[in-house]
């Protein structure tokens, strides 16, 4: 049977003393280490959150810059296309006018050659007709 006497008080005092000593030597340092570890983990989680936020902002900025660069590229492409079209039109009109000038010059040359050929043929036709008439008639005309 259990009897309550002065040894029970000594056991309770011994238990409380041991609890006090263990608290000072063991539990408080462990709790302090756990608290420090939790603070470090919390700070790392906060830093990770900041880095993720900065990363998301950078990613968003890059996407916006990419879209803007595409728009500017398309504008420049269209400007270069229209400039090329203008140059093409200018070159074609220049070539057309040059070709037209050459055609007109060739027509004038042909007309001049035609006039001189006609004059030469008219002179020769008169001679040929006279010779032909002399041969047919057998006398000079």
């Amino acid at each position: 049977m259990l009897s309550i006497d002065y040894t029970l008080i000594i056991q309770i005092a011994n238990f409380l003393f041991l609890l006090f000593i263990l608290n000072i030597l063991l539990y408080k340092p462990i709790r302090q280490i756990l608290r420090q570890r939790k603070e470090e983990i919390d700070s790392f989680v906060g830093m990770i959150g900041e880095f993720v936020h900065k990363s998301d902002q950078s990613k968003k900025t890059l996407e916006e810059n990419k879209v803007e660069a595409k728009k500017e590229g398309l504008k420049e492409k269209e400007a270069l296309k229209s400039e090329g079209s203008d140059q093409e039109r200018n070159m074609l009109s220049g070539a057309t006018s040059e070709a037209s000038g050459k055609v007109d010059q060739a027509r004038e040359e042909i007309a001049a050659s035609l006039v001189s050929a006609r004059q030469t043929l008219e002179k020769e036709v008169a001679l040929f007709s006279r010779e032909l008439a002399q041969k047919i008639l057998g006398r000079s005309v």
Side-chain angles (χ1 to χ4, degrees):
M1 235 202 233
L2 191 62
S3 64
I4 299 177
D5 57 357
Y6 69 96
T7 59
L8 180 65
I9 293 175
I10 292 174
Q11 287 293 330
I12 291 174
N14 191 17
F15 176 74
L16 290 177
F17 178 73
L18 182 64
L19 192 63
F20 177 73
I21 296 295
L22 284 176
N23 190 27
I24 291 173
L25 295 178
L26 188 64
Y27 298 141
K28 276 187 181 179
I30 289 175
R31 278 186 279 171
Q32 184 177 3
I33 291 171
L34 290 175
R35 190 178 318 112
Q36 287 174 348
R37 187 178 293 168
K38 184 179 183 302
E39 289 172 0
E40 285 181 17
I41 290 172
D42 289 343
S43 71
F44 288 147
V45 168
M47 287 173 32
I48 289 171
E50 289 176 20
F51 288 141
V52 167
H53 181 68
K54 285 181 183 179
S55 171
D56 290 341
Q57 284 181 339
S58 296
K59 191 175 184 181
K60 185 178 178 183
T61 303
L62 285 174
E63 287 296 323
E64 290 172 355
N65 289 344
K66 182 179 174 184
V67 169
E68 186 65 31
K70 279 186 179 182
K71 286 180 183 178
E72 288 178 17
L74 287 175
K75 285 180 184 177
E76 190 169 333
K77 178 183 172 185
E78 291 301 319
L80 290 174
K81 255 187 177 179
S82 66
E83 183 181 330
S85 296
D86 292 344
Q87 286 181 355
E88 180 184 15
R89 274 189 237 114
N90 291 339
M91 290 174 71
L92 284 176
S93 67
T96 303
S97 65
E98 185 179 332
S100 175
K102 286 184 179 181
V103 167
D104 290 342
Q105 183 182 4
R107 282 184 182 160
E108 289 174 4
E109 288 176 5
I110 291 172
S113 296
L114 185 62
V115 167
S116 70
R118 246 185 217 169
Q119 290 173 350
T120 306
L121 284 176
E122 284 178 2
K123 289 178 185 176
E124 288 181 10
V125 167
L127 288 174
F128 287 140
S129 64
R130 190 174 285 160
E131 284 180 19
L132 186 62
Q134 284 176 1
K135 285 186 182 181
I136 291 177
L137 295 174
R139 59 182 175 105
S140 73
V141 181

